[in-house]
Amino acid sequence: MSDLGHVLVLAGGLSYEREVSLRSGRRVSEVLRAAGVDVETRDTDASLVPSILADPPDAVFVTLHGGAGEDGAIRSVLELLDVPYVGAGPDACRVAFDKPTAKVVIRSVGLHTPESVTLPKETFHDLGATAVLGRIVERLGLPLFVKPARGGSALGASFVRTAEELPAAMVGCFAYGDTALIERYVEGVEVSVSVVDLGDGPEALPAVEIVPDEGVYDYAARYTAGRTEFFAPARLTSAAAAACAEAAVTAHTALGLRDVSRTDLIVDADGVPHFLEVNVAPGMTETSLLPMSAEAAGRDLGELCRSLLQNATNR
């Protein structure tokens, strides 16, 4: 049996990624119980704070995606309540959750990341969409990838092949956020590298290669079984795999993250990884990438989650 005592798994929330979060929470709760941990799963509603004050958990595992789950807000509350939790602190979350800001940090430590333009909705409308988008195409070229500056699960994200597709992609993006990140598309192998730190420093798990059946790793491709083929470990040369591992650990460290993160990369034809984004609360569903990485590394997911919780309590 675990010596952790009572553990709380937070799942749900009110973001667009609520359903994914609930699935992640169920999975984490299941594997922790199998590892002998006393687990309670709770949503983030008005009863949460009184419940924690009445019966403080020994540690919290946050499986909230998007919004308050990754922007540091719920972690600020947990710190106010003096409850240990798995994952990065509030300040690091705020930087990592904002993709354009994270890209600035990533460039400062020498990693590659696609050239991009960040465009708030107000600017898009006030300056005239046609003129602004035309200049973006001239500057970045085609194809492009458009996604909300904050958020995850590829909600509001679009692959843009032609200039004519860009206006609709922007409208779709603004449905999920007030600021769009428009990136030059980098051709290559899409991989995801999870990083865990159990107290001895950050360590990259094997990269997972992502091959969507329709070419784009969108929301449906992420969470519908059979829509995407995964290879764990990724089918990379040893040099490229090492470069991806180094890039993920560098991103984790530069952004001030802790315990666990997942970095998404594109590996170009020369084996160079290009940083796309980092996730401070990686998905833990049946089709999520961190569990695949753990399995490829020969690690039991329940034991890994239990160790992350123990590390949090040790802090």
Side-chain angles (χ1 to χ4, degrees):
M1 295 295 289
S2 169
D3 57 356
L4 278 169
H6 176 53
V7 165
L8 184 64
V9 173
L10 290 183
L14 295 176
S15 79
Y16 293 115
E17 298 170 73
R18 174 178 173 81
E19 291 306 314
V20 178
S21 173
L22 290 170
R23 289 169 58 184
S24 285
R26 282 195 295 269
R27 181 86 184 279
V28 169
S29 297
E30 288 169 1
V31 298
L32 282 172
R33 289 191 184 99
V37 180
D38 175 21
V39 180
E40 177 188 5
T41 306
R42 288 193 64 93
D43 209 329
T44 52
D45 54 30
S47 69
L48 178 63
V49 171
S51 172
I52 289 177
L53 289 172
D55 183 18
D58 291 277
V60 173
F61 203 113
V62 180
T63 61
L64 299 164
H65 306 317
E70 297 184 64
D71 67 2
I74 195 70
R75 297 160 197 251
S76 293
V77 173
L78 292 174
E79 295 201 352
L80 286 172
L81 297 171
D82 202 25
V83 175
Y85 58 89
V86 171
D91 290 343
C93 285
R94 280 187 276 273
V95 174
F97 187 60
D98 189 83
K99 297 180 181 69
T101 303
K103 284 167 70 75
V104 171
V105 175
I106 291 305
R107 284 197 186 94
S108 75
V109 294
L111 294 179
H112 295 272
T113 188
E115 188 178 355
S116 63
V117 172
T118 303
L119 191 63
K121 187 193 307 185
E122 293 80 5
T123 305
F124 177 71
H125 288 299
D126 294 348
L127 298 185
T130 301
V132 173
L133 296 185
R135 184 57 183 154
I136 288 173
V137 172
E138 290 178 19
R139 171 70 178 274
L140 299 181
L142 291 166
L144 298 167
F145 201 82
V146 178
K147 57 188 174 184
R150 309 173 93 223
S153 292
L155 291 166
S158 299
F159 178 56
V160 176
R161 298 169 181 82
T162 68
E164 291 73 25
E165 293 176 347
L166 186 53
M170 297 295 291
V171 171
C173 179
F174 289 137
Y176 289 93
D178 292 332
T179 302
L181 176 65
I182 306 103
E183 289 183 318
R184 175 180 291 157
Y185 181 75
V186 176
E187 189 73 37
V189 178
E190 187 169 0
V191 301
S192 182
V193 183
S194 297
V195 172
V196 295
D197 185 349
L198 303 180
D200 297 321
E203 170 196 355
L205 299 179
V208 177
E209 180 182 348
I210 302 158
V211 186
D213 60 2
E214 295 185 5
V216 179
Y217 194 42
D218 58 13
Y219 184 90
R222 288 168 187 247
Y223 300 112
T224 305
R227 288 286 301 272
T228 300
E229 191 172 7
F230 300 99
F231 296 90
R235 300 170 299 177
L236 300 171
T237 66
S238 57
C244 289
E246 182 180 359
V249 170
T250 299
H252 181 96
T253 304
L255 291 165
L257 306 182
R258 69 185 184 195
D259 297 339
V260 62
S261 69
R262 195 198 74 228
T263 294
D264 298 333
L265 306 160
I266 293 287
V267 184
D268 67 22
D270 296 321
V272 176
H274 297 254
F275 173 92
L276 299 179
E277 59 190 77
V278 68
N279 193 309
V280 300
M284 302 292 279
T285 74
E286 295 76 6
T287 57
S288 294
L289 303 171
L290 188 150
M292 294 183 198
S293 294
E295 183 178 355
R299 298 200 179 191
D300 178 80
L301 184 61
E303 290 298 327
L304 177 61
C305 291
R306 190 176 72 83
S307 296
L308 288 168
L309 285 161
Q310 189 66 64
N311 195 43
T313 61
N314 292 342
R315 275 198 298 271

